[in-house]
Amino acid sequence: MTSVSSPILVGRDGELVAIERAFAAAASGSPSIVVVGGEAGIGKTRLIAEAGERAVAGGGRMIAGACLDLADGLPYLPFVEAIRRLVRTAPPADLDAAFGPARHDFARLMPEMRLLIGDEGSDDSEPISQGRLFELGLGMVERLGAISPVLLALEDVQWIDRSSRDLITFLARNLSRERLLLALTVRTDNLPAGHPTLAWLAELTRLPRVVRIDLQRLPREAIAGQLAAILGEAPPPDLVDEVWARSEGNPFFAEELVAADETRTPDAPGPPATLAQMLAARLAALSAPARDVLAWLAVAGRPVDEVLLGAVTERPQDELVSALREGLARHVLATDPGHGRIRFRHALLAEVALGDLLPSQRRQLHDRFATVLAARHDLGERNRAGATAELAYHWTAAGRWPEAHAAAIAAGEAAETVAAYAQAHSQFERALEIADRLEPPIEAADRVALLRRAASAADLAGEMDRALELALEARTLVDASADAETAALLHARIGYLRWALGDAEGGLEDHREAVRLVPHDPPTAARARVLGALAGSLMSPGRHAESADVARAAIACATAVGATSEEARARNVLGSDLVALGDVDAGLAELTRSRELAAEAGPPDMLVVVHHNLALNLAQAGRLDEALSEALAGRDAARRLGLERRFGMNLIALAADVLLRLGRWDEADALTLEGLALDPRDRGTVYLSAVRGRLHALRGEVDEATRRLDAADELAIGELDADLAAYIRRGRAEVALARGRPDEALAAVEPVIEGAPGSQVAFVRAPLLAVGLRAAADVAERARASRDREAVTQVARTSARLREAMEGIRAAPQDAALTAVVALGDAEGRRVDGEPADWAGLAIRFDAVPDPERAAYARFRAAEQELRARGTKADAESLLRDAHSTAERLGGEPLRREIEALARRARISLAVPAAGAAAVSVPSSSTNGGAGHGPTNGLAALRKAGLSSREIEVLQLVAAGRTNGEIAERLFITRKTAGVHVTHILDKLAVSNRVEAAMVAARLGLAPTADDLAEAGEED
């Protein structure tokens, strides 16, 4: 019989080229995902197989796995299958390099790996976090791709299990430089509208690295080529016309039509009208033993080996082999490459075979499969999660409710050990449904335990609403007077879920009730747990004193019973509370001890969190070098534990934030770019994007700063963290200041003093208030220059509220860094009032922190104040030179421009001259120091002050640093007349010297001409 499959791929040249290009890009370090969709039989598998052959021929590697239509699916099934094929085909050296430190964790999913890695005796019952498992998977892909580029094909994702779906989403969002092309095939004709897989695929294809290819039916010429390849000769035109018309261009249907035509006898009717009828006829033509074996295969739901088929069918070996051979010869069955299991040649054949069975037949066959698999564990899936899920599937389909109930619970427990929380949730929910069918019904305590497990799994799977419903149902079944501990733990879980869903106050009440229910004596791990949870819920809204007291009680309880993990969590809360309350040394000691306990008792993510919190509190305490070291140590721990993408970006953000304060901006720049590289969308986390935005703002890159802060706001939708909100607001104000728009900067800060919820952490709040006072001072100076008394009065009121808010911070114990920031706010407040401040002393305080950018800013203000008061260059010159040097080193363009504008007006050289050499002035890249006050409004303000047109002209030359003689020469007037004009200008502006007059001109946007600046530079 002629093969019914074409030996060559026809009609898909464009699609094949697209996949080849994607693989070539992946090979060069630009990974991507290709989703190939289309109806059944359209050629998705064939296209991917051809692309894989070409990838291998070009030096790449192809591994593949497929999803199955098994209820909720076996956890990570397509990935497990792909890993199995990799293990069977790759050299041992490649396997060792690819799996590396993750080999023991992957052995949980594929126990046969233990023989390869010498790990036969390890225990896989301990759960692994999903974040860690996903990180390890990404690391494995990266290491495998380093050996040769990889085409990873996952077929039939219309049946994908939820955990595999989440892993694909994780890869799509986190691939960056891995040499991987992930190819997915999806059958679109059997997915009803609203199916979750359709929504997932739509979301997936919106990501930048994902390409969608939808296969269309073949044209006539392609069908002709397909028939020629099958028949080995050019087909008659009438056969081409018939096959093309009847198949409507579906290549699988075309192949089946050819096969049907070959088997037709002269007296037999023509081929059936539909593909389903044709496939049914194909199966009906088989012998009875072959049809019987096909029924078993259809019920199995997955490729199976001959040993399992023999066990369930109980047929003699020769009869079984004969039936299988017949199926293979008639192209109904095929063998899976790599492991030799038997499967249907196409999923449509399995569907037809299954559809021919009566419900009672299906139940009997499922019952037999379950009975055999329960007795012969060696015949089922090798990993515990897959084996238990398969057993639960068959017992449920067989209607054996007691066995199905127990199997579903076992499957849920096994799924948890491999972080397949969605499957665990589904299995526990199934067990709850089956429990209603049991006679006698399960005990109330058993149902409560099952509800708690289902709630926990739902929470971990991201189904928080459902988790809360399950926990609330469990609570209604518990008699607190008889089982206070269980009731308390349920209240604690409900409290957490309510907080996570936005009901912080409701959650707090549940936490309090949990503590009330658990007796003080004897101490228990449960009481330590609920006390720690209450302490954490109190810390979030800033009730640090109460939180600290509860955390101490949790620690005492945990140490009494040796509950190390609970002690670590409680000390973590207490340490943060104590730092917030001003007892910095004690707080840091608690956090350090928490880190030690977390390293000892775990879980792994707890250790990374403690590193983060210790670094954050060190930064709040002004111990910046230690904070930087701790943040980087946390990042290293996250890498080592496979949690870098979960925690790494925020640890990088924290380290970069500290580097900004330390004046190591180039390092912060490089580090934030590393963090963003972990996110293919180039946005990072809220914190990382905000830190990057602030760096751009401080460097005057206002458009990029705005883009980053916008991204932070988008990422923060639903974000409850007031500290991050305040940090973003500070970045917005700094962008406005860099644009020379202090009014906008003040507007960004004002909500903090207008009753809007905001951070109560001094470390976050004080810098925001200081920026607001700086903006208020700039607005006040501009208003005074414009003679706008109403604006002066209004900004004074705003400033008073900002200063009042700062007073609340002053009352708390402070370190040197925070004290300096509060003093900065005081100095800005005095500037609002037009009064002098100790700017030079403030610069020295920031030097000691160290905080180079603020120290340079304080020196700039000190120089400005000196020039305004006395018009002397002596002291101002060194101040400006030091400030300018720092601004240039940091790349702080807005500050550099302001310094250069002031130096120009005062005719001060910013260059440090060599011995005996004349100083050379530094030309400014800005004509007005970023004042941002439009020239039209500025001229109106000057005329309002009484300046004539000639006096405005003279003031413009004064702002350029011209002497009276130079003004006279430029305007063709006498030196004496020029001097008279300057005197009148000083009087009308109510300033004491030329430098101060130039400052007023700059604030009003009266810019000197380009010629003035050029000539001034040449003459200097």
Side-chain angles (χ1 to χ4, degrees):
M1 179 180 178
T2 304
S3 171
V4 298
S5 296
S6 169
I8 61 172
L9 180 68
V10 297
R12 302 299 185 198
D13 293 346
E15 293 89 346
L16 188 58
V17 167
I19 297 176
E20 285 187 290
R21 287 175 177 168
F23 186 73
S28 64
S30 181
S32 61
I33 297 176
V34 173
V35 179
V36 180
E39 66 183 356
I42 203 66
K44 303 178 291 296
T45 297
R46 188 62 187 276
L47 174 65
I48 295 301
E50 182 71 22
E53 289 176 8
R54 298 193 180 192
V56 171
R61 185 194 312 270
M62 179 181 179
I63 52 177
C67 307
L68 297 175
D69 186 15
L70 284 176
D72 300 298
L74 311 186
Y76 305 110
L77 177 65
F79 288 98
V80 170
E81 188 62 29
I83 293 173
R84 281 200 176 109
R85 295 187 183 187
L86 174 67
V87 168
R88 292 190 188 98
T89 58
D94 286 1
L95 293 176
D96 188 61
F99 291 113
R103 55 173 60 87
H104 302 290
D105 295 291
F106 280 111
R108 297 168 182 266
L109 296 174
M110 204 186 75
E112 54 264 45
M113 276 184 61
R114 300 194 191 287
L115 297 175
L116 296 170
I117 64 178
D119 188 35
E120 295 93 332
S122 66
D123 178 25
D124 65 354
S125 62
E126 278 297 313
I128 181 173
S129 74
Q130 190 174 78
R132 174 172 166 78
L133 185 63
F134 286 10
E135 290 281 358
L136 293 173
L138 185 60
M140 187 271 283
V141 165
E142 183 176 11
R143 289 188 295 273
L144 189 62
I147 302 169
S148 59
V150 178
L151 171 58
L152 172 57
L154 304 180
E155 300 240 40
D156 293 320
V157 299
Q158 71 273 7
W159 295 321
I160 193 165
D161 64 275
R162 170 69 183 277
S163 296
S164 294
R165 192 181 84 184
D166 291 345
L167 178 50
I168 290 173
T169 301
F170 174 85
L171 292 174
R173 294 184 183 279
N174 291 283
L175 289 170
S176 55
R177 297 176 296 274
E178 297 79 7
R179 299 206 296 166
L180 171 73
L181 174 62
L182 176 58
L184 311 176
T185 69
V186 57
R187 179 177 160 190
T188 54
D189 58 323
N190 67 342
L191 289 178
H195 193 283
T197 298
L198 288 177
W200 168 65
L201 287 172
E203 178 184 351
L204 190 69
T205 52
R206 283 195 289 268
L207 296 175
R209 294 186 184 276
V210 181
V211 176
R212 176 73 182 253
I213 297 175
D214 286 298
L215 298 185
Q216 306 300 320
R217 296 186 175 187
L218 297 176
R220 183 185 184 282
E221 57 270 23
I223 292 293
Q226 180 187 18
L227 297 183
I230 293 172
L231 300 174
E233 60 184 12
D238 60 338
L239 177 62
V240 175
D241 290 339
E242 179 186 1
V243 171
W244 181 61
R246 298 199 57 213
S247 70
E248 297 181 332
N250 183 296
F252 178 67
F253 199 176
E255 291 175 351
E256 291 301 314
L257 284 166
V258 173
D261 186 69
E262 283 200 349
T263 57
R264 187 173 20 170
T265 60
D267 57 345
T274 68
L275 180 58
Q277 291 172 338
M278 183 180 301
L279 296 178
R282 287 276 307 279
L283 298 182
L286 297 173
S287 66
R291 292 198 307 272
D292 187 52
V293 170
L294 292 185
W296 286 104
L297 276 171
V299 167
R302 65 171 175 89
V304 297
D305 57 32
E306 292 179 47
V307 178
L308 176 57
L309 270 178
V312 295
T313 63
E314 297 181 303
R315 293 188 177 281
Q317 179 70 12
D318 57 344
E319 184 178 324
L320 177 63
V321 170
S322 176
L324 291 174
R325 287 189 183 280
E326 182 181 352
L328 292 167
R330 300 299 294 271
H331 303 289
V332 173
L333 300 179
T335 56
D336 247 6
H339 53 55
R341 290 178 177 178
I342 309 297
R343 61 176 176 82
F344 282 92
R345 186 172 72 88
H346 197 282
L348 287 174
L349 285 162
E351 291 174 15
V352 171
L354 193 63
D356 281 345
L357 297 174
L358 295 172
S360 59
Q361 289 177 295
R362 291 191 194 184
R363 287 194 297 272
Q364 290 172 1
L365 297 183
H366 279 295
D367 191 307
R368 179 61 185 163
F369 260 109
T371 301
V372 170
L373 289 172
R376 294 281 307 276
H377 300 298
D378 58 305
L379 298 181
E381 277 292 310
R382 297 293 182 87
N383 68 81
R384 192 160 68 94
T388 52
E390 184 176 26
L391 197 54
Y393 165 70
H394 285 300
W395 282 130
T396 303
R400 293 276 293 272
W401 305 125
E403 294 88 346
H405 180 259
I409 293 174
E413 293 170 345
E416 286 179 322
T417 66
V418 292
Y421 300 119
Q423 269 93 348
H425 173 217
S426 180
Q427 294 288 1
F428 292 139
E429 290 265 22
R430 175 176 292 114
L432 286 167
E433 293 172 7
I434 294 172
D436 295 333
R437 298 172 177 263
L438 297 179
E439 289 294 340
I442 62 174
E443 298 289 335
D446 293 333
R447 186 171 186 87
V448 167
L450 188 52
L451 284 164
R452 290 177 65 187
R453 299 205 71 161
S456 177
D459 175 15
L460 292 169
E463 305 288 343
M464 284 196 170
D465 287 316
R466 180 57 181 158
L468 180 58
E469 291 173 1
L470 291 163
L472 288 169
E473 181 184 347
R475 192 179 67 182
T476 64
L477 299 177
V478 177
D479 180 357
S481 63
D483 189 355
E485 183 173 299
T486 299
L489 292 175
L490 278 168
H491 273 287
R493 168 60 62 176
I494 292 166
Y496 160 74
L497 291 168
R498 281 184 167 152
W499 171 82
L501 290 167
D503 183 9
E505 285 301 315
L508 184 56
E509 288 306 309
D510 271 297
H511 282 300
R512 292 190 190 281
E513 179 64 11
V515 171
R516 188 190 68 79
L517 286 170
V518 183
H520 290 78
D521 293 313
T524 59
R527 182 163 179 82
R529 192 174 307 129
V530 297
L531 283 168
L534 174 59
S537 69
L538 288 165
M539 183 177 67
S540 181
R543 303 179 189 180
H544 294 291
E546 185 181 357
S547 173
D549 288 341
V550 176
R552 289 188 186 97
I555 293 166
C557 187
T559 54
V561 295
T564 307
S565 292
E566 281 73 19
E567 182 185 352
R569 294 182 188 278
R571 289 191 186 278
N572 193 26
V573 173
L574 177 59
S576 299
D577 284 329
L578 292 175
V579 172
L581 293 167
D583 194 353
V584 174
D585 290 338
L588 295 177
E590 290 292 347
L591 287 161
T592 302
R593 179 58 180 153
S594 174
R595 182 188 60 191
E596 294 168 355
L597 292 170
E600 173 190 334
D605 57 337
M606 180 66 184
L607 175 61
V608 180
V609 169
V610 171
H611 273 298
H612 178 278
N613 289 348
L614 178 53
L616 180 64
N617 282 281
L618 283 165
Q620 290 183 6
R623 292 162 60 170
L624 300 183
D625 289 327
E626 294 175 68
L628 179 61
S629 296
E630 192 66 29
L632 294 177
R635 184 194 182 191
D636 289 343
R639 278 175 169 169
R640 185 176 67 255
L641 295 167
L643 298 170
E644 184 176 18
R645 278 175 173 78
R646 183 176 176 190
F647 295 107
M649 284 186 279
N650 274 338
L651 284 160
I652 284 172
L654 178 53
D657 196 4
V658 172
L659 286 169
L660 280 184
R661 295 176 62 187
L662 288 170
R664 294 160 61 177
W665 291 6
D666 288 341
E667 292 176 66
D669 186 9
L671 192 59
T672 51
L673 287 175
E674 285 183 34
L676 291 170
L678 295 173
D679 181 3
R681 297 170 298 169
D682 191 44
R683 298 198 302 174
T685 61
V686 178
Y687 190 15
L688 179 59
S689 204
V691 170
R692 183 77 185 169
R694 281 201 61 231
L695 174 61
H696 284 303
L698 293 170
R699 286 187 156 173
E701 298 155 349
V702 292
D703 291 340
E704 185 63 16
T706 301
R707 186 174 80 84
R708 287 292 173 197
L709 293 169
D710 286 346
D713 274 333
E714 290 169 11
L715 290 165
I717 293 175
E719 179 66 62
L720 300 176
D721 194 324
D723 295 347
L724 278 175
Y727 193 87
I728 295 170
R729 196 174 290 281
R730 177 184 171 190
R732 297 278 187 198
E734 287 167 333
V735 169
L737 288 173
R739 292 185 187 276
R741 301 172 184 171
D743 50 339
E744 293 180 10
L746 186 57
V749 177
E750 273 190 285
V752 176
I753 57 171
E754 295 294 343
S759 172
Q760 300 303 311
V761 176
F763 167 70
V764 177
R765 190 171 175 82
L768 177 63
L769 294 172
V771 170
L773 284 163
R774 173 179 173 178
D778 287 351
V779 171
E781 287 186 341
R782 182 176 296 173
R784 279 195 292 271
S786 303
R787 300 295 195 275
D788 189 340
R789 293 182 179 177
E790 182 179 346
V792 170
T793 302
Q794 183 176 346
V795 76
R797 291 195 190 102
T798 303
S799 169
R801 294 200 299 276
L802 288 168
R803 290 154 92 171
E804 182 181 351
M806 192 71 93
E807 282 300 314
I809 295 172
R810 191 195 311 277
Q814 299 171 27
D815 60 274
L818 189 58
T819 301
V821 173
V822 173
L824 174 62
D826 292 342
E828 297 287 15
R830 294 181 70 83
R831 194 159 66 90
V832 172
D833 299 335
E835 298 176 357
D838 184 13
W839 288 102
L842 188 57
I844 294 171
R845 293 173 74 169
F846 279 120
D847 284 338
V849 169
D851 191 333
E853 191 270 341
R854 286 192 178 114
Y857 172 74
R859 286 188 170 86
F860 159 67
R861 289 297 179 200
E864 178 187 55
Q865 185 172 277
E866 182 72 16
L867 291 167
R868 180 181 286 121
R870 287 181 283 276
T872 177
K873 300 179 183 179
D875 294 332
E877 188 168 10
S878 61
L879 289 167
L880 286 177
R881 281 181 180 169
D882 286 348
H884 187 261
S885 175
T886 299
E888 280 197 318
R889 177 178 63 80
L890 296 176
E893 286 300 295
L895 179 57
R896 184 187 65 80
R897 289 195 298 265
E898 286 196 275
I899 293 167
E900 290 176 358
L902 178 59
R904 184 184 62 251
R905 295 177 199 122
R907 299 183 66 80
I908 290 175
S909 169
L910 294 175
V912 179
V920 179
S921 67
V922 179
S924 172
S925 61
S926 170
T927 58
N928 63 2
H933 197 290
T936 302
N937 292 338
L939 289 174
L942 290 171
R943 290 193 177 98
K944 184 178 179 181
L947 271 67
S948 66
S949 296
R950 173 60 84 181
E951 287 168 345
I952 291 173
E953 218 174 351
V954 170
L955 178 59
Q956 190 172 29
L957 294 171
V958 168
R962 298 292 186 178
T963 65
N964 286 353
E966 290 166 340
I967 293 171
E969 183 179 350
R970 184 67 176 270
L971 298 180
F972 304 103
I973 58 178
T974 67
R975 183 188 296 266
K976 181 177 179 181
T977 302
V980 170
H981 282 314
V982 170
T983 299
H984 289 168
I985 289 168
L986 298 180
D987 290 341
K988 291 178 180 180
L989 293 180
V991 296
S992 57
N993 55 60
R994 299 166 67 95
V995 174
E996 198 171 358
M999 293 178 189
V1000 172
R1003 283 194 290 274
L1004 295 176
L1006 186 65
T1009 66
D1011 289 343
D1012 292 328
L1013 294 176
E1015 291 174 21
E1018 291 168 7
E1019 292 166 10
D1020 284 341

